[in-house]
Coordinates of all heavy atoms in Angstrom, one line a residue:
Chain A
G203 N -7.3 17.9 4.9 CA -6.8 19.2 4.6 C -5.6 19.1 3.7 O -4.8 18.2 3.8
G204 N -5.4 20.1 2.8 CA -4.3 20.1 1.9 C -3.5 21.4 2.0 O -3.6 22.1 3.0
R205 N -2.8 21.8 0.9 CA -2.0 22.9 0.9 C -2.7 24.2 1.3 O -2.2 25.1 1.9 CB -1.3 23.1 -0.4 CG -0.1 24.0 -0.4 CD 0.5 24.4 -1.8 NE 0.7 23.3 -2.6 CZ 1.9 22.6 -2.6 NH1 2.8 22.9 -1.8 NH2 2.0 21.5 -3.4
G206 N -4.0 24.2 0.9 CA -4.8 25.4 1.2 C -5.0 25.7 2.7 O -5.4 26.8 3.0
V207 N -4.8 24.7 3.5 CA -4.9 24.9 5.0 C -3.8 25.9 5.5 O -4.0 26.6 6.4 CB -4.9 23.5 5.7 CG1 -5.0 23.8 7.2 CG2 -6.1 22.7 5.3
G208 N -2.7 25.8 4.8 CA -1.7 26.9 5.0 C -0.7 26.7 6.1 O 0.4 27.2 6.0
A230 N -4.8 14.2 5.4 CA -4.1 15.3 4.9 C -3.6 14.9 3.5 O -3.4 13.7 3.2 CB -2.9 15.6 5.8
S231 N -3.3 15.8 2.6 CA -2.7 15.6 1.3 C -1.2 15.5 1.5 O -0.7 15.9 2.6 CB -3.0 16.7 0.3 OG -2.2 17.8 0.7
R232 N -0.5 15.0 0.5 CA 1.0 14.9 0.7 C 1.6 16.3 0.8 O 2.6 16.5 1.5 CB 1.6 14.2 -0.5 CG 3.1 14.1 -0.4 CD 3.6 13.1 -1.4 NE 5.1 13.2 -1.5 CZ 5.8 12.7 -2.5 NH1 5.2 11.9 -3.4 NH2 7.1 12.9 -2.5
A233 N 1.0 17.3 0.1 CA 1.6 18.6 0.2 C 1.6 19.1 1.7 O 2.5 19.7 2.2 CB 0.7 19.6 -0.6
A234 N 0.5 18.7 2.4 CA 0.4 19.1 3.8 C 1.3 18.3 4.7 O 1.9 18.8 5.7 CB -1.0 18.9 4.3
T235 N 1.5 17.0 4.4 CA 2.4 16.2 5.3 C 3.9 16.5 5.0 O 4.7 16.6 5.9 CB 2.2 14.6 5.1 OG1 2.4 14.3 3.8 CG2 0.8 14.2 5.5
D236 N 4.1 16.7 3.7 CA 5.5 17.1 3.3 C 5.9 18.4 4.0 O 7.1 18.6 4.3 CB 5.7 17.2 1.8 CG 6.0 15.9 1.1 OD1 6.1 14.9 1.9 OD2 6.1 15.8 -0.1
W239 N 2.9 20.0 8.3 CA 1.7 20.5 9.0 C 1.0 19.5 9.7 O 0.3 19.7 10.7 CB 0.8 21.2 8.0 CG 1.4 22.4 7.3 CD1 2.6 23.0 7.6 CD2 1.0 22.9 6.0 NE1 2.8 24.0 6.7 CE2 1.9 24.0 5.7 CE3 -0.1 22.7 5.2 CZ2 1.7 24.7 4.5 CZ3 -0.3 23.4 4.0 CH2 0.6 24.4 3.7
H242 N 2.8 12.2 8.9 CA 2.8 11.4 7.7 C 1.7 10.3 7.8 O 1.1 9.9 6.8 CB 4.2 10.8 7.4 CG 4.2 9.8 6.3 ND1 4.9 8.7 6.4 CD2 3.6 9.8 5.2 CE1 4.7 8.0 5.3 NE2 3.9 8.6 4.5
Q245 N -1.5 10.8 5.9 CA -1.6 11.1 4.5 C -2.5 10.2 3.8 O -2.5 9.0 4.0 CB -0.2 11.0 3.9 CG -0.2 11.3 2.4 CD 1.3 11.3 1.9 OE1 2.2 11.9 2.5 NE2 1.5 10.7 0.8
V246 N -3.4 10.8 3.0 CA -4.3 10.0 2.2 C -3.8 10.0 0.7 O -3.5 11.0 0.2 CB -5.8 10.6 2.2 CG1 -6.7 9.9 1.2 CG2 -6.3 10.5 3.6
G247 N -3.8 8.8 0.1 CA -3.4 8.8 -1.3 C -2.6 7.6 -1.6 O -2.4 6.7 -0.8
Q248 N -2.0 7.7 -2.8 CA -1.2 6.6 -3.4 C -0.2 6.1 -2.4 O 0.0 4.9 -2.2 CB -0.6 7.0 -4.6 CG 0.5 6.0 -5.1 CD 0.6 6.0 -6.6 OE1 -0.1 6.8 -7.3 NE2 1.4 5.2 -7.1
T249 N 0.6 7.0 -1.8 CA 1.6 6.6 -0.9 C 1.2 6.8 0.6 O 2.1 6.8 1.4 CB 2.9 7.3 -1.2 OG1 2.7 8.6 -1.4 CG2 3.6 6.7 -2.5
G250 N 0.0 7.0 0.8 CA -0.5 7.1 2.1 C -1.6 6.1 2.3 O -1.6 5.0 1.8
K251 N -2.6 6.5 3.1 CA -3.7 5.5 3.4 C -4.7 5.5 2.3 O -5.0 6.6 1.6 CB -4.4 5.9 4.7 CG -3.4 5.8 5.9 CD -3.8 4.7 6.8 CE -2.6 4.2 7.6 NZ -2.0 5.2 8.6
Y258 N -16.3 11.9 2.8 CA -14.9 12.5 2.7 C -15.1 14.0 2.5 O -15.7 14.4 1.5 CB -14.2 11.8 1.6 CG -12.7 12.2 1.6 CD1 -11.8 11.5 2.4 CD2 -12.2 13.2 0.8 CE1 -10.4 11.8 2.4 CE2 -10.8 13.5 0.8 CZ -10.0 12.8 1.6 OH -8.6 13.1 1.6
A260 N -13.0 17.2 1.6 CA -11.7 17.6 1.1 C -11.6 19.1 1.1 O -12.4 19.8 0.4 CB -11.5 17.1 -0.3
N261 N -10.7 19.6 1.9 CA -10.5 21.1 2.0 C -9.2 21.6 1.6 O -8.2 21.1 2.1 CB -10.7 21.4 3.5 CG -12.0 20.9 4.0 OD1 -13.1 21.3 3.7 ND2 -11.9 19.9 4.9
G262 N -9.2 22.5 0.6 CA -7.9 23.0 0.1 C -7.0 22.0 -0.5 O -5.8 22.0 -0.4
I263 N -7.6 21.0 -1.1 CA -6.9 19.9 -1.8 C -7.3 20.0 -3.3 O -8.5 20.1 -3.6 CB -7.4 18.6 -1.3 CG1 -6.9 18.4 0.2 CG2 -6.8 17.4 -2.1 CD1 -7.3 17.2 0.9
S264 N -6.3 20.0 -4.2 CA -6.6 20.2 -5.6 C -7.2 18.9 -6.3 O -7.9 19.0 -7.3 CB -5.4 20.6 -6.4 OG -4.4 19.6 -6.3
G265 N -6.8 17.7 -5.8 CA -7.3 16.5 -6.3 C -6.4 15.9 -7.4 O -6.8 15.4 -8.4
A266 N -5.1 16.0 -7.1 CA -4.1 15.3 -8.0 C -4.4 13.8 -8.0 O -5.0 13.2 -7.1 CB -2.7 15.5 -7.4
I267 N -4.0 13.2 -9.1 CA -4.4 11.8 -9.4 C -3.9 10.9 -8.2 O -4.5 10.0 -7.8 CB -3.8 11.3 -10.7 CG1 -4.5 10.0 -11.2 CG2 -2.3 11.2 -10.7 CD1 -4.3 9.8 -12.7
Q268 N -2.7 11.2 -7.6 CA -2.2 10.4 -6.5 C -3.0 10.6 -5.2 O -3.1 9.7 -4.4 CB -0.7 10.8 -6.2 CG 0.2 10.5 -7.3 CD 0.4 11.6 -8.3 OE1 -0.3 12.6 -8.2 NE2 1.5 11.6 -9.1
H269 N -3.6 11.7 -5.1 CA -4.5 11.9 -3.9 C -5.8 11.2 -4.1 O -6.3 10.5 -3.3 CB -4.8 13.4 -3.6 CG -5.6 13.6 -2.3 ND1 -5.0 13.5 -1.1 CD2 -6.9 13.8 -2.1 CE1 -5.9 13.7 -0.2 NE2 -7.1 13.8 -0.7
R270 N -6.4 11.3 -5.4 CA -7.7 10.7 -5.7 C -7.5 9.2 -5.5 O -8.5 8.5 -5.1 CB -8.1 11.0 -7.1 CG -8.4 12.5 -7.3 CD -9.3 12.7 -8.4 NE -9.0 12.1 -9.7 CZ -8.3 12.7 -10.7 NH1 -8.0 14.0 -10.6 NH2 -8.1 12.1 -11.8
A271 N -6.3 8.6 -5.8 CA -6.1 7.2 -5.7 C -6.5 6.7 -4.2 O -6.8 5.5 -4.1 CB -4.7 6.8 -6.0
G272 N -6.4 7.6 -3.3 CA -6.6 7.1 -1.9 C -8.0 7.4 -1.4 O -8.3 7.0 -0.3
V282 N -14.4 21.8 -0.4 CA -14.3 23.2 -0.2 C -12.9 23.6 -0.8 O -11.9 23.2 -0.4 CB -14.3 23.7 1.3 CG1 -14.2 25.2 1.4 CG2 -15.7 23.3 1.9
N283 N -13.0 24.5 -1.9 CA -11.8 24.9 -2.5 C -12.0 26.2 -3.2 O -13.1 26.5 -3.7 CB -11.4 23.9 -3.6 CG -10.0 24.1 -4.1 OD1 -9.6 25.2 -4.5 ND2 -9.1 23.0 -4.0
K284 N -11.0 27.1 -3.1 CA -11.3 28.5 -3.7 C -11.2 28.5 -5.2 O -11.6 29.5 -5.8 CB -10.5 29.5 -2.9 CG -9.0 29.5 -3.2 CD -8.3 30.6 -2.4 CE -6.8 30.6 -2.7 NZ -6.1 31.5 -1.8
D285 N -10.6 27.5 -5.8 CA -10.4 27.5 -7.2 C -11.5 26.6 -7.9 O -11.5 25.4 -7.7 CB -9.0 26.9 -7.5 CG -8.8 26.7 -9.0 OD1 -9.7 27.2 -9.8 OD2 -7.8 26.0 -9.4
A286 N -12.5 27.2 -8.6 CA -13.6 26.5 -9.2 C -13.1 25.4 -10.2 O -13.8 24.5 -10.5 CB -14.5 27.4 -9.8
E287 N -11.9 25.6 -10.7 CA -11.3 24.7 -11.7 C -10.6 23.5 -11.1 O -10.1 22.6 -11.8 CB -10.3 25.4 -12.6 CG -10.9 26.6 -13.3 CD -12.0 26.3 -14.3 OE1 -11.8 25.3 -15.0 OE2 -13.0 27.0 -14.3
A288 N -10.5 23.4 -9.8 CA -9.7 22.3 -9.1 C -10.4 21.0 -9.5 O -11.6 20.8 -9.4 CB -9.7 22.5 -7.6
P289 N -9.6 20.0 -10.0 CA -10.1 18.7 -10.4 C -10.9 17.9 -9.3 O -11.7 17.1 -9.6 CB -8.9 17.9 -10.8 CG -7.7 18.7 -10.6 CD -8.1 20.1 -10.2
I290 N -10.6 18.2 -8.1 CA -11.3 17.5 -7.0 C -12.9 17.8 -7.1 O -13.6 16.9 -6.7 CB -10.8 18.0 -5.6 CG1 -11.3 17.2 -4.4 CG2 -11.1 19.5 -5.3 CD1 -10.6 15.9 -4.2
F291 N -13.3 18.9 -7.7 CA -14.7 19.1 -7.8 C -15.4 18.1 -8.7 O -16.6 17.8 -8.6 CB -15.0 20.5 -8.4 CG -14.9 21.6 -7.4 CD1 -13.9 22.6 -7.4 CD2 -15.8 21.7 -6.3 CE1 -13.8 23.6 -6.4 CE2 -15.7 22.7 -5.3 CZ -14.7 23.6 -5.4
V298 N -18.3 23.6 -2.4 CA -18.4 25.1 -2.3 C -17.1 25.7 -2.8 O -16.0 25.3 -2.4 CB -18.7 25.4 -0.8 CG1 -18.4 26.9 -0.6 CG2 -20.1 25.1 -0.4
V299 N -17.3 26.6 -3.7 CA -16.1 27.4 -4.2 C -16.0 28.6 -3.2 O -16.8 29.5 -3.1 CB -16.3 28.0 -5.6 CG1 -15.1 28.8 -6.0 CG2 -16.6 26.8 -6.6
G300 N -14.9 28.5 -2.3 CA -14.8 29.5 -1.3 C -13.6 29.3 -0.5 O -12.8 28.3 -0.7
D301 N -13.3 30.2 0.5 CA -12.1 30.1 1.3 C -12.4 29.2 2.5 O -13.3 29.5 3.3 CB -11.8 31.5 1.8 CG -10.4 31.6 2.5 OD1 -10.0 30.5 3.0 OD2 -9.8 32.6 2.4
L302 N -11.6 28.2 2.7 CA -11.9 27.2 3.8 C -11.7 27.9 5.1 O -12.4 27.5 6.1 CB -11.0 26.0 3.6 CG -9.5 26.2 3.8 CD1 -9.1 26.0 5.3 CD2 -8.7 25.2 3.0
H303 N -10.9 29.0 5.2 CA -10.7 29.6 6.5 C -11.9 30.4 7.0 O -12.0 30.7 8.2 CB -9.5 30.5 6.4 CG -8.2 29.8 6.2 ND1 -7.6 29.1 7.1 CD2 -7.5 29.6 5.0 CE1 -6.5 28.5 6.6 NE2 -6.4 28.8 5.3
T304 N -12.9 30.7 6.1 CA -14.1 31.3 6.5 C -15.2 30.3 6.6 O -16.0 30.2 7.5 CB -14.5 32.5 5.7 OG1 -14.6 32.1 4.3 CG2 -13.6 33.6 5.8
V305 N -15.3 29.4 5.5 CA -16.4 28.4 5.4 C -16.4 27.4 6.6 O -17.4 27.1 7.2 CB -16.4 27.7 4.1 CG1 -17.4 26.6 4.0 CG2 -16.6 28.7 2.9
Chain B
S13 N 2.5 7.7 -13.6 CA 1.4 7.7 -12.7 C 0.5 9.0 -12.8 O -0.6 9.0 -12.3 CB 1.9 7.6 -11.2 OG 2.3 8.9 -10.8
W14 N 1.0 10.0 -13.6 CA 0.2 11.2 -13.8 C -0.8 10.9 -14.9 O -1.8 11.7 -15.1 CB 1.0 12.4 -14.2 CG 1.9 12.7 -13.0 CD1 3.2 12.3 -12.8 CD2 1.6 13.6 -12.0 NE1 3.6 12.8 -11.6 CE2 2.7 13.7 -11.1 CE3 0.4 14.4 -11.7 CZ2 2.7 14.4 -10.0 CZ3 0.5 15.1 -10.5 CH2 1.6 15.2 -9.7
N36 N 9.3 3.6 -12.1 CA 8.4 3.7 -11.0 C 8.9 4.7 -10.0 O 10.0 4.6 -9.5 CB 8.3 2.3 -10.3 CG 7.5 2.3 -9.0 OD1 6.6 3.2 -8.9 ND2 7.8 1.5 -8.1
E37 N 8.2 5.8 -9.8 CA 8.7 7.0 -9.0 C 9.2 6.5 -7.6 O 10.2 7.0 -7.1 CB 7.6 8.0 -8.8 CG 7.3 8.8 -10.0 CD 5.9 9.3 -10.0 OE1 5.0 8.5 -10.0 OE2 5.7 10.6 -10.0
L38 N 8.5 5.5 -7.1 CA 8.9 5.1 -5.7 C 10.3 4.4 -5.7 O 10.9 4.3 -4.7 CB 7.8 4.2 -5.1 CG 6.5 5.0 -4.9 CD1 5.4 4.2 -4.5 CD2 6.7 6.2 -3.9
Y41 N 13.5 6.5 -4.9 CA 13.9 6.7 -3.5 C 14.9 5.6 -3.1 O 15.8 5.8 -2.3 CB 12.7 6.8 -2.6 CG 11.7 7.9 -2.9 CD1 10.7 7.8 -3.9 CD2 11.9 9.1 -2.3 CE1 9.9 8.8 -4.2 CE2 11.0 10.2 -2.6 CZ 10.0 10.0 -3.5 OH 9.2 11.1 -3.8
T121 N 3.7 1.8 -8.8 CA 2.6 2.7 -8.9 C 1.5 2.1 -9.8 O 0.4 2.6 -9.8 CB 2.9 4.1 -9.4 OG1 3.6 4.0 -10.6 CG2 3.8 4.8 -8.4
R124 N 0.6 -1.8 -7.5 CA 0.3 -1.4 -6.1 C 0.1 -2.5 -5.2 O -0.8 -2.5 -4.3 CB -0.9 -0.4 -6.1 CG -0.7 0.9 -6.9 CD -1.7 1.9 -6.4 NE -1.5 2.3 -5.0 CZ -2.3 2.9 -4.2 NH1 -3.5 3.2 -4.7 NH2 -2.0 3.2 -3.0
E179 N 8.5 6.7 0.6 CA 8.9 8.0 -0.1 C 9.3 9.1 0.8 O 9.9 10.1 0.4 CB 7.8 8.4 -1.1 CG 7.1 9.7 -0.8 CD 5.8 9.4 -0.1 OE1 5.4 8.2 0.2 OE2 5.1 10.4 0.3
Ligands
FAD401 C1 5.0 9.1 -6.4 C2 4.1 10.1 -5.8 C3 3.2 9.7 -4.8 C4 2.3 10.7 -4.3 N1 1.5 10.3 -3.3 C5 0.6 11.1 -2.8 C6 -0.4 10.7 -1.8 O1 -0.3 9.6 -1.2 N2 -1.3 11.6 -1.3 C7 -1.3 12.9 -1.8 O2 -2.2 13.7 -1.4 N3 -0.5 13.3 -2.8 C8 0.5 12.4 -3.3 N4 1.3 12.9 -4.2 C9 1.4 14.3 -4.6 C10 0.3 14.8 -5.5 O3 0.8 14.7 -6.8 C11 0.0 16.3 -5.2 O4 1.2 17.1 -5.3 C12 -0.6 16.6 -3.9 O5 -1.7 15.7 -3.7 C13 -1.1 18.0 -3.8 O6 -1.6 18.3 -2.5 P1 -2.7 19.5 -2.4 O7 -3.9 19.2 -3.2 O8 -2.9 19.7 -0.9 O9 -1.9 20.8 -2.9 P2 -2.2 21.6 -4.2 O10 -2.2 20.8 -5.4 O11 -1.2 22.7 -4.2 O12 -3.6 22.2 -4.0 C14 -4.0 23.1 -3.0 C15 -5.5 23.4 -3.3 O13 -5.9 24.3 -2.2 C16 -6.7 25.3 -2.8 N5 -6.7 26.4 -1.8 C17 -5.6 27.2 -1.5 N6 -6.0 28.1 -0.5 C18 -7.3 27.8 -0.2 C19 -8.2 28.4 0.7 N7 -7.8 29.4 1.5 N8 -9.4 27.9 0.8 C20 -9.8 26.9 -0.1 N9 -9.0 26.3 -0.9 C21 -7.7 26.8 -1.0 C22 -6.1 25.6 -4.1 O14 -7.1 26.2 -5.0 C23 -5.7 24.2 -4.6 O15 -6.7 23.6 -5.4 C24 2.2 12.0 -4.8 C25 3.1 12.4 -5.8 C26 4.0 11.4 -6.4 C27 4.9 11.9 -7.5

Side-chain angles (χ1 to χ4, degrees):
Chain A
R205 198 190 306 277
V207 176
S231 74
R232 179 168 167 191
T235 61
D236 274 357
W239 301 341
H242 174 219
Q245 182 173 315
V246 171
Q248 167 150 1
T249 45
K251 300 249 155 63
Y258 188 86
N261 306 291
I263 294 175
S264 63
I267 197 160
Q268 296 92 347
H269 187 79
R270 297 206 306 264
V282 178
N283 193 306
K284 67 179 183 190
D285 172 12
E287 302 297 316
I290 189 82
F291 279 115
V298 167
V299 180
D301 189 334
L302 67 91
H303 294 284
T304 55
V305 174
Chain B
S13 81
W14 295 91
N36 174 29
E37 283 152 302
L38 296 172
Y41 299 86
T121 55
R124 297 202 63 199
E179 112 264 358

